[in-house]
Amino acid sequence: MHAVVVKVSIKDAEGAQKALEEQVVPRVSQAPGFVAGYWTRADDRSNGQAMIIFESEDAARAAADQLRANVPDPVTLESAEIREVVASA
């Protein structure tokens, strides 16, 4: 398995939450090879991180490309890294 680790800066917390629920999560969860996704944000709501797990490196790379191309306006993409999942519980 491989993960896409995403970091974003949040410009508008309410708008970002709406875009996450209505656009990002539905699109990502339908991506080929999707296993699970976890989206988090800091207490001050100014930045967020996500870890989205895929069955393969190819699926993770394809999803990362889609994420980079479809960043909703209330956030700025800081990074999207592909990492191998080496353990889980």
Side-chain angles (χ1 to χ4, degrees):
M1 288 190 297
H2 282 72
V4 181
V5 179
V6 180
K7 294 180 183 178
V8 298
S9 295
I10 300 171
K11 298 179 235 176
D12 168 19
E14 290 176 14
Q17 184 69 35
K18 182 177 180 181
L20 181 65
E21 293 171 358
E22 294 178 2
Q23 299 172 33
V24 177
V25 172
R27 184 176 356 154
V28 170
S29 65
Q30 296 299 312
F34 173 80
V35 174
Y38 302 92
W39 288 263
T40 67
R41 68 174 171 225
D43 286 341
D44 67 2
R45 303 174 83 172
S46 66
N47 64 67
Q49 291 186 325
M51 183 171 284
I52 309 162
I53 311 299
F54 291 89
E55 293 174 349
S56 69
E57 183 177 2
D58 287 342
R61 289 196 183 285
D65 290 344
Q66 283 296 313
L67 285 168
R68 289 182 189 107
N70 295 291
V71 178
D73 186 46
V75 302
T76 299
L77 180 66
E78 300 296 333
S79 65
E81 297 179 53
I82 308 302
R83 297 187 178 203
E84 182 180 7
V85 176
V86 296
S88 65

